[in-house]
Amino acid sequence: MSNLPGSRHSVPKNAKCDIHADRNAVANIQGETDSFGAEYILMCQECYDEYKQESRKPDISDCNWCEAKQIAVKPRRDYEEGMSGPVYYVCQSCIDRDNARIAEELNDRDSYHGDGNWH
Ligand SMILES: [Zn+2]
Ligand SMILES: [Zn+2]
């Protein structure tokens, strides 16, 4: 269960598409998250298919963590700051480096049962 932007949540019963009020929603996608909480977007199959097409294109931006400019970035939270921390947009090499660091830290923690977010 991830609560990063772009993650999919369960659709409330009888929910309709945000764009097409006469269609049943099949997906509930988390949008940008700010200090007031997350924004959820309800989508019918057509809107969801379109969204998936869109999201396949990487976001191009400056990496928030390193000096990389105009690079493909993904939303990411700092492991240290936890799930309530801010969302950063970081490049793949920062993600790889962060994953390696987390894997190392979790190595000795036998009691840790990951929820999939950090793999
Ligand atoms: Zn729709
Ligand atoms: Zn980076």
Side-chain angles (χ1 to χ4, degrees):
M1 192 68 177
S2 160
N3 62 354
L4 288 169
S7 63
R8 202 175 162 180
H9 295 256
S10 58
V11 178
K13 235 186 167 186
N14 299 323
K16 300 290 184 207
C17 174
D18 280 348
I19 313 285
H20 307 97
D22 56 337
R23 298 188 197 172
N24 288 328
V26 300
N28 186 16
I29 305 294
Q30 184 171 343
E32 291 300 320
T33 306
D34 60 24
S35 47
F36 300 107
E39 173 196 358
Y40 295 92
I41 309 154
L42 289 162
M43 301 181 192
C44 67
Q45 190 61 55
E46 185 189 323
C47 290
Y48 185 51
D49 286 346
E50 208 165 285
Y51 170 83
K52 280 188 294 188
Q53 290 280 341
E54 272 304 301
S55 60
R56 218 169 290 150
K57 292 180 228 151
D59 268 343
I60 304 296
S61 174
D62 294 350
C63 176
N64 289 163
W65 286 356
C66 72
E67 300 293 303
K69 301 278 179 211
Q70 295 301 298
I71 194 168
V73 292
K74 289 177 184 167
R76 177 91 184 170
R77 278 194 167 89
D78 190 313
Y79 174 64
E80 306 282 319
E81 291 168 13
M83 294 317 287
S84 56
V87 174
Y88 300 96
Y89 288 83
V90 299
C91 69
Q92 189 61 50
S93 56
C94 282
I95 290 172
D96 290 345
R97 208 177 313 130
D98 201 39
N99 282 340
R101 185 176 63 94
I102 290 162
E104 210 162 281
E105 278 176 21
L106 296 181
N107 251 349
D108 344 290
R109 282 195 226 172
D110 289 335
S111 59
Y112 178 80
H113 298 290
D115 60 6
N117 268 340
W118 306 107
H119 299 289

